[in-house]
Amino acid sequence: MNRLTLALLTALEAVVIVAIGLAVPLLVGGVVWGAELGFSGDVMSVWRAVVDVWLLGHGVPITIGLDAATMTTLGVPEDLGVFVLSLAPLGFALGTVLAAVRTGRRCVEQQWVTVIPVGTLVVAVVSVLLASTANVTGAGPSMPVAAIAPAGFYLLGAVIGVLLSASRGDVDAVPVLERAVERIRGAVPAEAPIVLRAAVRTTGVFLVIMTGLAALGFLLALLSGYSTIVSLYESTEYGVVGGIIVTLVHLAYLPTLLVWSASWLLGPGFALGTGTLVAPIATQLGPLPAVPVLGAVPQWNAPLGLLVVVLPVAAGALAAALARRRASAEDATAVAPVPVRVAVVVTSAALSALVVLIVAALAAGSIGPGVLADVGPAPWAVAGCAALAVLAGGAVAWVGPVKGGVAGASGR
């Protein structure tokens, strides 16, 4: 396949990925427009809402301006009539990443050199065009972020897909990158690639385990708060259409809620408004919006909650133990020296903290004016606790003796 054909197909696929992401909010918007407004409302208002939802799902902040009548109905003070909505329903971003992974995995030989830049550029251009249709005077999405954020998620997925394809030997490196890699290898210690591989494996396994624990914790919270959640559904009287829409919104926010769950397990917890805290050792809440899923918020106020933070340390230890076993199988002598093991633990903690910092930042934001401007985890605190968990668990797994593995190598 020649480069021009490949570029055109990549551009078309990138447009399709964006269109699929828009499909769900567009369908919901169409149902609302027809069932609630009788197809008589302003169709452009519906379209702007659809685009805003898709962009918000990729981390693009949306400026909301309330008119005088709405502020009076909701009891919002005049000085809070304009606010920023920035808490992202990360289900949209996750969908873009997974679709881009599929695109990257199909690359063979040097196709990625064309696929990655073309796809990323097309997503950026389409995002800007969509954002321009949703902008009105004094309100709408942030244009600079709209040009970067969705394309960034596509780029992340495409790079992951290409790396997966490279692991199968289907992808060839370009000469320029090969020379750059060789220069880097010559400038760093010989053990650096070994340390980096082990650290990446530790980080990956730790994140997978924490995701599983977060999902389990969230499920238990839903079960314990089931009656409250049902009561909130009934008290708000959404109706059939409204209930379905609210449930779809909950699903779009599911990845965000899982990040909150992981933040709770790591210790710092998350906020549901300025001055509030939901953490294992304490829960301090103010008035909450009548959102059904908030009925699952855990109400722990006991020192016993500190025992929860043992789980991330155990996850770090298990991840490090698996990485050590793999490294020992590949080259037990290389990972035997204590400085190499210490470097692996420290590098693993740094990588884990970096990933957690980014994810936690994406899962925090604003859902309204006033106190609702501070919702979600504190990224730096959560990242610090993740680093400590991997450091503690990694120290146990890497420093302790192991039969026949690294310890055996170190004794030779």
Side-chain angles (χ1 to χ4, degrees):
M1 184 183 301
N2 63 60
R3 183 164 296 182
L4 177 59
T5 303
L6 180 62
L8 291 175
L9 290 176
T10 301
L12 177 61
E13 186 171 18
V15 172
V16 170
I17 290 174
V18 174
I20 292 174
L22 284 168
V24 173
L26 186 61
L27 177 62
V28 172
V31 170
V32 172
W33 185 45
E36 302 295 329
L37 303 177
F39 299 105
S40 60
D42 181 10
V43 67
M44 282 307 299
S45 296
V46 176
W47 171 252
R48 284 193 292 268
V50 168
V51 173
D52 285 345
V53 168
W54 183 81
L55 290 171
L56 180 64
H58 289 82
V60 180
I62 310 296
T63 301
I64 306 293
L66 302 178
D67 55 37
T70 303
M71 285 190 290
T72 301
T73 302
L74 299 177
V76 177
E78 186 175 348
D79 59 335
L80 298 178
V82 178
F83 61 92
V84 175
L85 182 64
S86 59
L87 183 65
L90 293 175
F92 291 96
L94 180 61
T96 298
V97 170
L98 293 178
V101 167
R102 184 173 177 271
T103 298
R105 290 192 67 175
R106 291 203 306 270
C107 290
V108 295
E109 298 177 349
Q110 294 185 8
Q111 289 182 346
W112 64 272
V113 179
T114 300
V115 169
I116 291 180
V118 170
T120 303
L121 179 61
V122 170
V123 172
V125 171
V126 173
S127 300
V128 170
L129 292 176
L130 289 171
S132 65
T133 67
N135 259 310
V136 294
T137 304
S142 169
M143 294 297 288
V145 182
I148 298 172
F153 284 108
Y154 177 92
L155 176 62
L156 173 64
V159 169
I160 292 173
V162 169
L163 292 176
L164 291 174
S165 184
S167 67
R168 302 193 306 264
D170 296 337
V171 173
D172 298 331
V174 296
V176 174
L177 288 180
E178 287 182 332
R179 290 194 294 269
V181 170
E182 289 301 323
R183 282 197 292 269
I184 293 173
R185 284 179 177 173
V188 299
E191 296 85 359
I194 298 170
V195 171
L196 185 58
R197 282 198 300 269
V200 169
R201 287 170 184 154
T202 302
T203 299
V205 175
F206 174 73
L207 294 175
V208 169
I209 295 174
M210 285 305 302
T211 301
L213 290 174
L216 178 60
F218 182 62
L219 177 60
L220 293 175
L222 288 177
L223 293 175
S224 64
Y226 177 76
S227 59
T228 304
I229 294 172
V230 172
S231 298
L232 286 170
Y233 263 109
E234 293 175 345
S235 63
T236 48
E237 299 180 353
Y238 290 120
V240 176
V241 174
I244 293 174
I245 292 174
V246 170
T247 302
L248 289 175
V249 171
H250 281 54
L251 291 176
Y253 273 101
L254 182 58
T256 307
L257 296 172
L258 289 180
V259 176
W260 291 11
S261 178
S263 301
W264 190 87
L265 291 173
L266 285 166
F270 55 91
L272 289 174
T274 304
T276 65
L277 176 66
V278 181
I281 60 172
T283 299
Q284 300 173 354
L285 294 175
L288 295 177
V291 178
V293 74
L294 295 183
V297 172
Q299 301 285 337
W300 284 36
N301 287 285
L304 186 63
L306 282 173
L307 295 177
V308 173
V309 300
V310 174
L311 294 175
V313 176
L318 178 58
L322 293 175
R324 182 178 182 180
R325 178 179 296 179
R326 179 70 177 272
S328 300
E330 292 176 348
D331 191 344
T333 304
V335 294
V338 172
V340 173
R341 294 189 238 171
V342 172
V344 171
V345 174
V346 173
T347 305
S348 301
L351 283 177
S352 300
L354 178 61
V355 175
V356 170
L357 176 67
I358 295 172
V359 174
L362 290 171
S366 168
I367 60 172
V371 297
L372 296 179
D374 183 15
V375 175
W380 288 102
V382 177
C385 288
L388 290 175
V390 175
L391 276 175
V396 172
W398 278 95
V399 177
V402 176
K403 291 184 178 180
V406 179
S410 62
R412 286 197 292 269

